[in-house]
Amino acid sequence: MSEAPVLDLASLRRGCAFCSLQQLCLPAGINAQELQRLDEIVRRSRPVERGERLYRLGDPLTAVYVARDGAFKTISISEEGEEQVLGFHLPGELIGLDALGAGAHRCEAVALATSNVCEVPFNQLASVAAQLPSLQQQLLKVIGKSVDRDQDHLGMLVRRQAGERIALFLHGLSERYRNIGHSPTQFKLPMSREDIARYLGLALETVSRGFTRLQEDGVIEVVGRRIDIRDIAELDRLAHSAENDEPRRRGRA
Amino acid sequence: MSEAPVLDLASLRRGCAFCSLQQLCLPAGINAQELQRLDEIVRRSRPVERGERLYRLGDPLTAVYVARDGAFKTISISEEGEEQVLGFHLPGELIGLDALGAGAHRCEAVALATSNVCEVPFNQLASVAAQLPSLQQQLLKVIGKSVDRDQDHLGMLVRRQAGERIALFLHGLSERYRNIGHSPTQFKLPMSREDIARYLGLALETVSRGFTRLQEDGVIEVVGRRIDIRDIAELDRLAHSAENDEPRRRGRA
DNA sequence: CGCGACGTTGATCGGAATCAAGGAGTGTGG
DNA sequence: CCACACTCCTTGATTCCGATCAACGTCGCG
């Protein structure tokens, strides 16, 4: 609608060139001139409030999105109206690729916290990408990373032990926080236990017990949504091997 | 290795223009001239035998693949050496996207049956796509469909009832066979019970029992790997709702 | 024919779902 | 400032589904 060609300082400063996520996001690997072409099509509107949706089931593909801060979940709604969590999206991670196949969204993207979002109109992105090989390359790479996250998610769900899934989940989150420059050992979960449960295919009580168990074993410290990973090596081990060695412990190892 | 510029009749006939999967694969929506550009970079080598691999864990991204017939599975190997099945690939479905993110394959693609495969060198594909907007568009769409299949897979794994997962699995396969012009109700599974189990996060015995149960309930007919879906509506219902209505039945409905 | 891979079926056991209750944190209004 | 309501999280008791162990059946092939 309002395509203001007026470049004031404030909006420039909010552009890709100043963004801390630059190296992870679409701009990675493209030069300053090219960056401007990209920047021109990116829309940065008011913050999205917790609970708001970027798009709904069935909406036509109009744009892809990247959060600059905050977090999102993507959910699909089953016939009976119960929701499955298909993914969590931290800053810098592309949102909206679920519409690439059919041209319409097959899930909904819900803000887990108030977030500033970059909206990239898809058609324009595609045509600019066709002209800038390095952007095309980066677009494919970013899509690929999204595929990788889906496969990591599969890797959790295919595990049969709840403890393994939970350990993998925390381990993966830790990695992702590290990537965006946050502490990999201390962070605040943006999602509820129920969201985690619906992401991991578990009952929420099981998630809660899993956290408690990890805390009892000295692997993490958890207070509500605050997580502090104390023994990342052990978390790693639990995530991968069977975790059945220690029958049960009270204190630390 | 052997880049024969000689276009004999046989190899032309094997090209995209003659392929029955044309409308589902990369050529969809592109015109005859453009098709030739694509065709020139596609390599069609000898059939891949059952058990052979298109690529292995860690291999650099050199190409993406599409089977013209036969079938593949993609697997990831856990630390302990046990394999997880990340996906099954029927004819026309792109294989090899797992390397887009990191530039190297994070899983292995194994032939489930002898298959004829089209190999599309990735760099050439990307550069041709940049020149042909309709190919770029189609490439993104095909990638999107692959993402959709991953999400369908997630949708199975997140279910907590084994019966639901199995019903969803058969239902999804049926759809995919329909798409490629096979009978959606009668087909031969290209994979073993163990593969299905590792795909669904179940024990192979549970898969076997699930099939038996569906047969007892008159939903399918199953003999070894031959499947005949008798009541697709019921299969659909089982896949989506809770399946807990009928406590137990002996004969047919 | 006999071997080996694959599939089915049965019996038992354990882990996670479910049901149920209570506690902790947050925000609102009296 | 506190009472209240609400959401979110934890913990406990019980039940049940699916993993596991084990044995047998079947098919394809040398």
Side-chain angles (χ1 to χ4, degrees), chain A residues 182-216:
Chain A
H182 285 51
S183 164
T185 57
Q186 296 185 181
F187 47 85
K188 184 167 175 296
L189 298 171
M191 73 295 278
S192 68
R193 299 289 190 274
E194 180 162 16
D195 285 335
I196 299 173
R198 293 185 189 283
Y199 179 76
L200 293 180
L202 299 171
L204 73 89
E205 294 94 325
T206 306
V207 174
S208 184
R209 281 187 247 267
F211 281 2
T212 302
R213 174 71 195 276
L214 285 172
Q215 177 160 248
E216 286 171 357

